[in-house]
Amino acid sequence: QVCSINSRFAKVHILYVGSTPLKSSFRGTIRREDIRATEKDKVEVYKSFRPGDIVLAKVISLGDAQSNYLLSTAENELGVVVARSEAGVQMVPISWCEMQCPQTHTKDFRKVARVQPQFLQT
């Protein structure tokens, strides 16, 4: 779950490993260059994630003392899986880079995950 973002990275809490819930959350960081596989220099963090988003990511390294785990969403299957709009409604993906609120029909940029069927159980 994304906690905070800035222009260089997103700070996250790791809540699950696979389908196993963790007893306590671990901190992680998704760096700007680890968000997408292509056009890494054009990625903008605020167009990929927002605080509160649930993200499917891969651990790429243990990181350092401040950031703990380094995570990546640089695959089509990885990215935002659950996002809430400003109205508090769960948003629906409409493309690989946008989600829409079904109530207000406002669109927001996100790095949308193409979720594989095995990850769809809630």
Side-chain angles (χ1 to χ4, degrees):
Q1 181 172 23
V2 178
C3 325
S4 65
I5 58 172
N6 67 31
S7 60
R8 291 174 312 165
F9 54 79
K11 290 233 177 256
V12 299
H13 284 249
I14 302 170
L15 307 173
Y16 280 78
V17 173
S19 59
T20 308
L22 301 175
K23 288 182 171 52
S24 61
S25 70
F26 290 85
R27 290 186 318 175
T29 302
I30 304 172
R31 297 178 307 186
R32 191 178 117 182
E33 56 269 24
D34 296 325
I35 291 175
R36 279 204 322 238
T38 57
E39 299 179 323
K40 294 179 183 202
D41 52 332
K42 294 182 183 157
V43 173
E44 295 178 62
V45 179
Y46 73 93
K47 284 188 173 180
S48 302
F49 309 117
R50 296 280 166 84
D53 287 356
I54 303 296
V55 176
L56 195 57
K58 216 177 236 181
V59 175
I60 54 173
S61 103
L62 298 180
D64 55 24
Q66 294 90 30
S67 67
N68 293 359
Y69 296 96
L70 277 178
L71 307 175
S72 170
T73 58
E75 291 176 27
N76 290 340
E77 293 76 30
L78 304 175
V80 176
V81 288
V82 177
R84 296 217 174 271
S85 67
E86 289 181 17
V89 180
Q90 187 168 323
M91 297 177 85
V92 180
I94 54 174
S95 75
W96 62 274
C97 64
E98 277 189 309
M99 289 185 135
Q100 184 173 30
C101 174
Q103 202 172 57
T104 62
H105 301 294
T106 52
K107 295 176 184 175
D108 274 340
F109 288 107
R110 293 291 202 283
K111 197 295 185 182
V112 179
R114 186 170 50 201
V115 183
Q116 300 300 298
Q118 68 264 31
F119 296 121
L120 284 176
Q121 64 266 30
T122 313

